[in-house]
Amino acid sequence: MPDAKLQSVLSSLSQQASELNALPSICTMPDARCVKLDTNENPFALPAPVMECAVAALERQYLYPQDDNISLREAAAKAYGLCRDQVIAGNGSSELLGLIYKAFLSPGDAVAMISPGFAFNRKLATLQGARFLEIPLTEAYLLPTEQLLFGPAKDAKFILLANPNNPTGMFLPVAEIESLVAQSDRLIVLDEAYVDFAPDNALRLLDRYSNLLILRTFSKSYAAAGIRIGFGLGHPELVGRLRNLQNVFNMNVIGHAVGIGILSHREAYEENHIHIKRERQRVCVALSQLGFSVTPSNANFLLAQVPPGQDGTWWQASLKKRKILVAVFPEDGLENCIRVSIGTRAQMDAFLTAVRDISGRLQHDPGR
Ligand SMILES: Cc1ncc(COP(=O)(O)O)c(C=O)c1O
């Protein structure tokens, strides 16, 4: 039945909020029976001492969390060799991305992102009424520095790149990023969500450049996606402007406790990271043998072009029938690809068994 009141309410939405309705949802319905390999979580328990911090924090549930996340920011500053004022903490790095868009973009402004990239940025740009410029890497898979500095992105208020990138997993040498940061006088937001699975990081550049803001998250390499812990690292003046925009009590006591716990027990994750890199290699080889073309990855996932005949969405649906969830990116020109997160050995065995089953059936009946 048409609801006139609801229609009236919805017609008062801002133009940006109305436009968001047209964007595809990035949420999937979690089904406990599924092997969830579509959002790059790290499916391991917290190390015991970190879990103890979480449980102890529950006893402080009646208190508001510390405002401005001071102790967590101090712990992060110590771990990353910075001072407290160079650190902002958030409910995951996505909260911090949201603050950056709010702080720098007015309706009609432009932001540039290396594409394909993290799709959430498209939503954030729409929310600000901003133009979202997607600039691909060069043919040699290098940063399109000329285009970013002098081409279509020359007026963008900030430039966003992720290293390693999502959804490709590709890693750019830090020297290349430094060259862009050095030549540009605009803000470069470097999203290092997956950097703990990569051979290098750009932290050392913060000493040299005030136009660089690095984002980190504990959702991927520290198995804490559900607790929501992220950091922005940069010049105190820039970080201070972002902290001004932040909600009071934006994080909670568990997030603070787990964040501080992780920062003091980072060595406890060494085995986890070794496991993920090893599994990544094993799955990469197995998929290649099955006719997939896999992009070399430095993250906790693989982007794989499916064998000719079917597209990524077909494979996603076929895997879903076997209770395996993977991601696809048709809106990014990656129609023939699936992205699979690297999880436990058992999860990856289940994924490969399903892929082999589907491949076998396709060989018997290619018209399926
Ligand atoms: C490149 C990139 N940045 C940021 C995020 C957001 O992470 P979180 O908000 O969980 O910290 C993700 C999550 O998938 C991501 O892939």
Side-chain angles (χ1 to χ4, degrees), residues 154-344:
K154 71 178 188 320
D155 296 323
K157 295 283 178 167
F158 63 90
I159 296 167
L160 203 126
L161 54 137
N163 203 35
N165 194 21
N166 176 15
T168 60
M170 281 172 58
F171 184 74
L172 289 168
V174 172
E176 228 189 292
I177 293 169
E178 176 167 14
S179 158
L180 173 68
V181 178
Q183 290 179 70
S184 177
D185 54 7
R186 280 168 298 159
L187 173 65
I188 312 292
V189 178
L190 177 61
D191 184 344
E192 290 195 329
Y194 300 95
V195 83
D196 295 307
F197 306 112
D200 197 4
N201 69 71
L203 213 51
R204 60 186 177 276
L205 303 188
L206 288 178
D207 278 349
R208 284 173 240 162
Y209 305 99
S210 53
N211 61 330
L212 175 66
L213 186 73
I214 294 181
L215 296 179
R216 293 282 179 96
T217 177
F218 283 178
S219 296
K220 314 297 180 183
S221 42
Y222 294 103
I227 297 174
R228 315 301 299 129
I229 305 160
F231 299 101
L233 314 170
H235 191 280
E237 188 74 28
L238 175 61
V239 163
R241 299 298 178 100
L242 296 176
R243 280 171 41 227
N244 282 341
L245 297 180
Q246 213 162 21
N247 257 353
V248 68
F249 306 129
N250 65 314
M251 297 184 71
N252 63 54
V253 288
I254 318 264
H256 283 163
V258 171
I260 292 169
I262 289 173
L263 286 161
S264 26
H265 295 285
R266 282 185 296 168
E267 74 296 338
Y269 285 88
E270 232 167 74
E271 228 172 89
N272 178 306
H273 299 169
I274 290 171
H275 160 84
I276 286 174
K277 289 185 213 166
R278 204 187 294 129
E279 275 302 283
R280 180 175 76 194
Q281 178 60 14
R282 180 176 81 95
V283 176
C284 176
V285 170
L287 283 177
S288 306
Q289 285 166 350
L290 289 162
F292 289 72
S293 170
V294 186
T295 307
S297 170
N298 279 286
N300 66 337
F301 57 82
L302 291 168
L303 184 75
Q305 189 175 330
V306 303
Q310 269 69 33
D311 64 11
T313 306
W314 183 91
W315 272 90
Q316 182 189 45
S318 303
L319 286 162
K320 194 171 178 189
K321 281 186 201 147
R322 290 160 177 83
K323 301 248 172 281
I324 310 283
L325 304 181
V326 297
V328 291
F329 304 90
E331 67 282 5
D332 290 306
L334 297 169
E335 295 82 2
N336 293 324
C337 294
I338 57 171
R339 190 198 66 194
V340 58
S341 313
I342 302 297
T344 63

